[in-house]
Amino acid sequence: MTQPLMPKATAVWLIDKTSLTFEQVADFVGMHPLEVQAIADGEVAQGIIGYDPVLNGQLTREEIARCEANPALRLQIQSSSLPAPKARGKGARYTPVSKRNDRPDGIAWLIRHYPQLSDTTIGKLLGTTKDTIAKVRDRTHWNSANIKARDPVILGLCTQSDLNAALIAAGERPGAVPPPLADTAEDSAA
């Protein structure tokens, strides 16, 4: 159930202006009945001006009258005719300082085990740039001598579900075992 705007102020108004029970008010505003009782006793929310849920379109007088007549009924918030706000994107992913040096290792592991993943997908998955991915791929990264391909899930750079979703989007089954790696010196001798 959606919460009303300014729940404490709405509770103050409902306590002052209606004969609803504490349980009905608490259920509507999403508070504990004891907290609503403390508001009624003046122990909590001192100085808060009541917020009229009828004027702002969250309740109707008929709904209040219906619930005042029967304490077993609960108030139902009115649905708004306004369009719901669009959810914003998550923005840039934050990686703690202690894990930033592990990012190239995760990039190398993804490039080695899942070459079908695009640079954009790897960048979103690990929170890195295309430039860094290109440098790891070309072995021109400033720390390329120390980069060891390690699983980014184990490193804590992404979750297994995020990796599975990226693999599904790239067209591979997430449970599939990565292909065996070909070591250049040993395979050419065999």
Side-chain angles (χ1 to χ4, degrees):
M1 184 174 133
T2 59
Q3 296 276 334
L5 292 174
M6 300 193 305
K8 279 192 180 181
T10 302
V12 168
W13 189 90
L14 289 171
I15 291 167
D16 290 343
K17 306 291 184 192
T18 66
S19 62
L20 295 168
T21 65
F22 295 147
E23 288 80 18
Q24 287 173 316
V25 173
D27 186 56
F28 180 70
V29 297
M31 298 173 138
H32 193 277
L34 291 176
E35 189 174 3
V36 173
Q37 185 176 356
I39 290 171
D41 293 341
E43 298 170 4
V44 179
Q46 295 173 350
I48 292 182
I49 298 170
Y51 187 63
D52 188 351
V54 176
L55 284 179
N56 65 35
Q58 294 176 341
L59 281 177
T60 61
R61 294 268 180 211
E62 294 78 25
E63 179 71 13
I64 293 173
R66 180 183 71 89
C67 291
E68 284 176 331
N70 185 354
L73 297 177
R74 297 291 179 236
L75 290 168
Q76 299 296 321
I77 196 163
Q78 235 180 352
S79 60
S80 175
S81 61
L82 296 174
K86 292 182 181 178
R88 284 195 205 173
K90 290 184 180 179
R93 167 187 251 124
Y94 175 75
T95 303
V97 175
S98 62
K99 294 186 181 188
R100 289 183 191 162
N101 290 336
D102 294 336
R103 233 188 241 149
D105 296 347
I107 294 169
W109 190 88
L110 288 174
I111 290 171
R112 180 181 289 174
H113 289 90
Y114 300 106
Q116 73 275 18
L117 290 177
S118 67
D119 288 357
T120 305
T121 306
I122 294 172
K124 286 181 182 176
L125 197 60
L126 301 182
T128 188
T129 62
K130 288 183 184 180
D131 185 48
T132 304
I133 297 166
K135 287 179 181 177
V136 170
R137 188 181 307 251
D138 301 339
R139 301 192 187 283
T140 59
H141 189 270
W142 66 271
N143 196 20
S144 62
N146 298 323
I147 294 176
K148 298 175 190 143
R150 295 188 293 169
D151 189 349
V153 175
I154 293 172
L155 294 174
L157 296 172
C158 67
T159 64
Q160 186 66 48
S161 60
D162 290 343
L163 179 59
N164 290 346
L167 291 174
I168 289 170
E172 181 174 314
R173 276 192 2 241
V177 177
L181 299 175
D183 292 333
T184 55
E186 295 169 4
D187 284 344
S188 60

